[in-house]
């Protein structure tokens, strides 16, 4: 019945790991050919792979794991998907209903444990309600603000045969608001017509709203000529080559983007949530601007930053209304003011905030990413990352032209996310070039998935910027903790080439900038999984940086700025 | 910019129900939350309050519509206006929550709570307890030669006042239901 429901939901791929409490479902899986099962090596990997699948396709990712440890191992992935609003449907096996509560073998209170880390979850005790619940789960995961859901199915319910229902989303009482309030939208359009220093601040909500939202965004930005910046989650919604593109904003965002946010007089937040990595010091955040906020989730509005024009609705719907109203009122902007604003931004651009000291002896991580960008720019490319310095450098130095091409753990910051996510992306796009930009420490957290990549012959490229350090932790210790590098170096690292070899993958080692291009080409030309061990400068810091407790216009641009800038209150802010 | 055209009682899009500036003043609000009566729904609501650090002064819950599987949770909470708005919006996000009403904002409410108090004592104190109970219209629901159990219904401050008077007269034990509330009028 579970498999039938999945088929009716259009599922073609599931990621999972079998165990005692899901054997009946696995038996059904075995006896059919429509749904492909990807066997991972750890349940956390299954959820991240499903996230990669979901983010690169816009379809929900599906996971099947067993009870107890299977379910608890999925918790990190569920939390990650919750914070980044990724639609995931996780099925967990459970001990039979008559054993629930008896501390049975591999029993855990799965719905209890996952209640705060799912959008919603269900324990199905009645076989007649199983199929209806599964359809409802897909509906909830993909409607409104997307998110992970979990369906816990006791083993006896899996064995039982109940009445099957076809999907009927119209019967669900879960119906979030998608159309924005017209009055508020008109108010925003009026503000757009007069603003002298407007800026679009976009986020993952544009990507989640679907490809139409990105197209409408591009139309609106190009028609108005307003500059646009994006959060880490929203990269690709507006093309990096677009003329109004400011680059990413936030803690490690670009100087011009953060300065524009600080000095603007109209901020139009589209599908972003004023995360603390974006705002810096809240009471000094963009002090002189009128703020509009478009979000599908009413709880995002006024959570962190007070906004003047809140618009609850789906990004694509609202953007369409904005365009219609703006056009019907005569396509007005304050052209003179905006031109002066763009000139000011051009001055900020000249600061060239991403510049770094080149080196001929060692590979600078920024240089490695510049070369990766140059050599892969024209390909059908998908990028995932782990979490840390490499992630920020990837966001700064790689250019994204389209949505759904950039998969990174933004909200939760999950080290170990990128490798399994790259597997999920490659499964969804077998012909595409899928690269996981990684740090050696993050990558080791889910390196067991090399087995999955080898088994399914997935040509995922693991581009590891190996500085033998927990680079971001080290950077913070340097700036905040008196250069006391407490446990932030990677001792006893494996030989990554031999490690790759042991799994039947290809390993490449590169330590000389002169060899880098050839080594990257070797990686790209190999038809199979590659572990690329790129030995980089060990003590490079990631700039620009807004230190904790500081405002957008108090950015550090390089090593010279770093002495004694963060006071003790900032140190507590992480 | 105009502060968002607040309509009194408009909770269907509570995000619009906002003050123009964030105030630091703590307010006490009574919320009525209509939920699907299914396992775990109370845990979701309580988990939201503990997980996000909101206050609960009192919470009552019972099924109010058996055929429609609806329960009504009445929550008394305190917080700054911003926090109260967040609480309502976060409650509204829960999939099994159908409606969130801020009774404090929507109009005048009638609030009632039931309490039972066991008062041990003999002689004058016992007589005095009974006399005060009559003034407060508390009922005696159990009696021995040395104790009473009083049942009292009223607004929370009336119950507080009664308890304060009973304390020197031998108040031994108390059970309170928490607040149930409805809007006045139709």
């Amino acid at each position: 019945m579970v498999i039938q429901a999945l088929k009716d939901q259009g599922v073609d791929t599931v990621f999972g790991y079998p165990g005692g409490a899901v054997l009946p479902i696995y038996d059904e899986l075995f006896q059919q050919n429509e749904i492909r099962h990807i066997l991972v090596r750890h349940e956390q990997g299954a959820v991240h792979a499903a996230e990669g699948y979901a983010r690169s396709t816009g379809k929900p990712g599906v996971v099947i794991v067993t009870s107890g440890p299977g379910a608890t191992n999925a918790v990190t992935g569920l939390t990650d998907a919750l914070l980044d609003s990724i639609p995931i449907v996780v099925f967990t096996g459970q001990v039979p209903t008559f054993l629930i509560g008896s501390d049975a073998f591999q029993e855990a209170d799965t719905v209890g444990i996952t209640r705060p880390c799912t959008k919603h979850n269900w324990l199905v005790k009645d076989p007649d309600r199983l199929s209806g619940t599964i359809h409802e789960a897909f509906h909830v995961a993909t409607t409104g603000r997307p998110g992970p859901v979990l369906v816990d199915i006791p083993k006896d319910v899996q064995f039982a045969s109940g009445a099957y229902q076809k999907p009927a989303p119209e019967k669900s009482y879960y119906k979030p608001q998608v159309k924005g309030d017209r009055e508020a939208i008109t108010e925003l359009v009026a503000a757009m017509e007069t603003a002298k220093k407007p800026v679009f601040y976009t986020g993952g909500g544009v990507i989640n709203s679907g490809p139409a939202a990105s197209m409408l965004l591009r139309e609106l930005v190009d028609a108005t000529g307003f500059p646009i910046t994006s959060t880490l989650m929203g990269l690709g919604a507006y093309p990096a080559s677009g003329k109004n593109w400011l680059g990413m904003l936030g803690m490690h965002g670009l100087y011009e983007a953060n300065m524009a946010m600080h000095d603007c007089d109209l901020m139009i937040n589209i599908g972003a949530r004023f995360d603390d990595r974006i705002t810096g010091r809240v009471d000094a955040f963009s002090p002189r601007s009128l703020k509009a906020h478009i979000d599908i989730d009413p709880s995002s509005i006024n959570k962190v930053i007070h906004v003047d024009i809140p618009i609850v609705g789906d990004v694509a719907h609202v953007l369409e209304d904005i365009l219609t109203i703006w056009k019907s009122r005569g396509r007005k902007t304050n052209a003179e003011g905006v031109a002066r604003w763009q000139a000011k931004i051009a001055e900020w651009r000249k600061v060239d905030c991403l510049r770094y000291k080149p080196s001929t002896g060692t590979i600078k991580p920024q240089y490695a990413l510049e070369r990766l960008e140059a050599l892969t720019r024209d390909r059908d490319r998908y990028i995932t990352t782990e979490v840390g310095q490499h992630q920020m450098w990837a966001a700064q130095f790689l250019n994204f032209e389209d949505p759904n091409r950039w998969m990174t753990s933004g909200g939760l910051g999950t080290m170990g996310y990128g490798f399994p996510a790259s597997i999920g992306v490659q499964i969804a796009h077998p012909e595409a070039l899928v690269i996981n930009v990684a740090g050696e420490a993050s990558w080791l957290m889910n390196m067991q998935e090399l087995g999955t990549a080898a088994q399914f012959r997935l040509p995922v490229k693991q581009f590891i910027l190996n500085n033998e350090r927990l680079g971001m932790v080290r950077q913070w210790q340097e700036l905040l903790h008196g250069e006391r590098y407490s446990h932030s170096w990677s001792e006893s690292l494996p030989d990554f080439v031999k490690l790759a070899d042991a799994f039947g993958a290809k390993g490449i080692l590169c330590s000389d900038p002169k060899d880098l291009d050839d080594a990257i080409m070797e990686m790209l030309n190999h038809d199979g999984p590659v572990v690329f061990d790129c030995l980089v400068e060990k003590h490079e810091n990631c700039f620009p940086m807004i230190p904790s407790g500081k405002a957008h216009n108090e950015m550090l641009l390089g090593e010279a700025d770093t002495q004694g800038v963060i006071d003790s209150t900032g140190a507590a802010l992480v | 910019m105009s502060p968002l055209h607040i309509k009194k009682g408009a909770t269907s899009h509570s995000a619009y129900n906002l003050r123009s500036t964030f105030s630091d003043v703590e307010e006490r609000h009574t919320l009525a939350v209509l939920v699907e009566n299914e396992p775990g729904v109370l845990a979701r609501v309580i988990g939201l309050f503990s997980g996000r650090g909101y206050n609960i002064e009192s919470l009552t819950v019972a099924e109010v519509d058996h055929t429609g599987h609806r329960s009504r949770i009445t929550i008394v909470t305190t917080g700054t206006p911003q926090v109260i708005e967040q609480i309502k919006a976060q409650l509204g996000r829960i999939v099994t929550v159908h409606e969130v009403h801020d009774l404090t904002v929507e109009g005048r409410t009638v609030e009632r709570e039931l309490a039972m108090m066991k008062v041990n004592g003999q002689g004058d104190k016992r007589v005095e307890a009974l006399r005060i109970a009559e003034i407060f219209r508390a009922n005696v629901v159990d009696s021995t030669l040395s104790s009473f159990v009083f049942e009292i219904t009223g607004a929370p401050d009336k119950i507080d006042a009664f308890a304060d008077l009973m304390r020197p007269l031998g108040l031994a034990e108390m059970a309170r239901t928490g607040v149930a509330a409805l809007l006045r009028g139709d």
Side-chain angles (χ1 to χ4, degrees), chain A residues 487-511:
Chain A
H487 304 274
S488 59
W489 65 91
S490 305
E491 195 94 354
S492 306
L493 280 174
D495 179 329
F496 285 97
V497 175
K498 279 189 190 156
L499 180 72
D501 195 41
F503 276 93
K506 182 180 177 68
I508 298 173
L509 176 73
C510 186
S511 59

Side-chain angles (χ1 to χ4, degrees), chain A residues 1 127-128 156-164:
Chain A
M1 189 142 66
D128 284 339
D156 53 336
V157 175
Q158 294 172 35
F159 271 124
S161 49
Y164 183 78

Side-chain angles (χ1 to χ4, degrees), chain A residues 115 119-121 136 140 145 173-174 177 180-181 183 187 290 297-306 308-312, chain B residues 1-2 4-5 12-16 18-22 36 38-40 43-44 52 82 86 89-90 93-96 98:
Chain A
R115 202 173 281 131
K119 185 175 173 187
H120 200 66
N121 62 15
E136 177 74 2
V140 170
R145 181 178 181 170
Y173 53 75
Y174 181 70
Q177 180 180 347
D181 178 54
E183 223 175 298
E187 206 175 331
L290 182 79
D297 179 357
S299 77
S300 286
I301 286 171
N302 281 1
K303 184 168 64 179
V304 181
I305 298 289
H306 172 75
D308 307 283
I309 310 175
I311 301 172
V312 175
Chain B
M1 197 49 60
S2 72
L4 322 174
H5 324 287
S12 58
H13 31 5
S14 67
Y16 295 142
L18 302 165
R19 321 295 148 90
S20 48
T21 49
F22 288 166
E36 188 80 7
E38 63 162 37
R44 283 179 214 283
R52 293 186 184 262
Q82 183 203 5
Q86 264 298 302
Q90 294 289 351
R93 278 177 87 185
I94 298 174
V95 171
T96 39
H98 292 281

Side-chain angles (χ1 to χ4, degrees), chain B:
Chain B
M1 197 49 60
S2 72
L4 322 174
H5 324 287
I6 304 172
K7 250 188 236 139
K8 258 206 163 171
T11 47
S12 58
H13 31 5
S14 67
Y16 295 142
N17 238 344
L18 302 165
R19 321 295 148 90
S20 48
T21 49
F22 288 166
S23 157
D24 292 335
V25 183
E26 293 243 329
E27 296 176 357
R28 183 171 173 277
H29 282 240
T30 305
L31 308 179
V33 188
L34 293 175
V35 301
E36 188 80 7
N37 184 18
E38 63 162 37
V41 65
L42 186 60
R44 283 179 214 283
V45 170
I46 293 171
L48 170 71
F49 276 75
S50 64
R52 293 186 184 262
Y54 305 142
N55 300 318
I56 299 180
E57 287 207 342
S58 95
L59 184 147
T60 63
V61 56
E63 189 173 69
V64 290
D65 175 2
H66 185 68
T67 46
H69 293 286
R70 296 294 165 88
S71 291
R72 183 176 175 116
I73 303 177
T74 309
I75 305 169
V76 181
T77 182
T78 56
T80 62
Q82 183 203 5
V83 168
I84 300 285
E85 291 305 327
Q86 264 298 302
I87 291 172
K88 289 188 276 181
Q90 294 289 351
L91 284 168
R93 278 177 87 185
I94 298 174
V95 171
T96 39
V97 167
H98 292 281
E99 289 172 47
V100 181
H101 293 281
D102 185 344
L103 301 180
T104 308
V105 171
E106 287 181 22
R108 295 189 314 122
T109 56
V110 49
E111 299 193 356
R112 286 293 178 269
E113 187 178 359
L114 184 144
M116 293 200 282
M117 295 183 206
K118 182 179 285 176
V119 179
N120 295 335
Q122 282 170 333
D124 287 350
K125 283 188 173 179
R126 184 172 158 81
V127 176
E128 183 64 8
L130 198 59
R131 208 176 61 82
I132 293 172
E134 268 169 39
I135 295 169
F136 276 78
R137 297 203 193 111
N139 297 322
V140 176
V141 289
D142 179 64
S143 175
T144 67
L145 291 175
S146 58
S147 72
F148 288 121
V149 174
F150 294 114
E151 172 209 328
I152 179 168
T153 308
D157 50 352
K158 176 183 167 183
I159 292 170
D160 289 342
F162 185 65
D164 286 345
L165 291 171
M166 286 299 120
R167 208 156 278 126
L169 300 176
L171 177 63
E173 231 183 319
M174 170 158 59
R176 297 176 71 151
T177 59
V179 173
L182 285 178
L183 280 178
R184 289 177 188 271
D186 48 8

Side-chain angles (χ1 to χ4, degrees), chain A residues 189 219 223 321-332:
Chain A
V189 169
E219 187 187 342
D321 288 348
I322 291 175
L323 273 164
T324 313
I325 295 173
W326 181 69
K327 285 175 186 167
S328 73
R329 288 167 58 117
R331 298 168 165 264
K332 284 184 290 229

Side-chain angles (χ1 to χ4, degrees), chain A residues 124-166:
Chain A
V124 183
K125 287 181 169 174
D126 175 358
D128 284 339
R129 298 188 64 175
L130 179 57
S131 55
T133 304
I134 293 173
H135 298 315
E136 177 74 2
F138 276 88
H139 173 69
V140 170
T142 53
T143 318
R145 181 178 181 170
V149 299
L150 181 142
V151 184
D152 197 23
I153 313 174
K155 196 171 181 180
D156 53 336
V157 175
Q158 294 172 35
F159 271 124
S161 49
Y164 183 78
Q165 293 167 349
K166 287 274 177 193

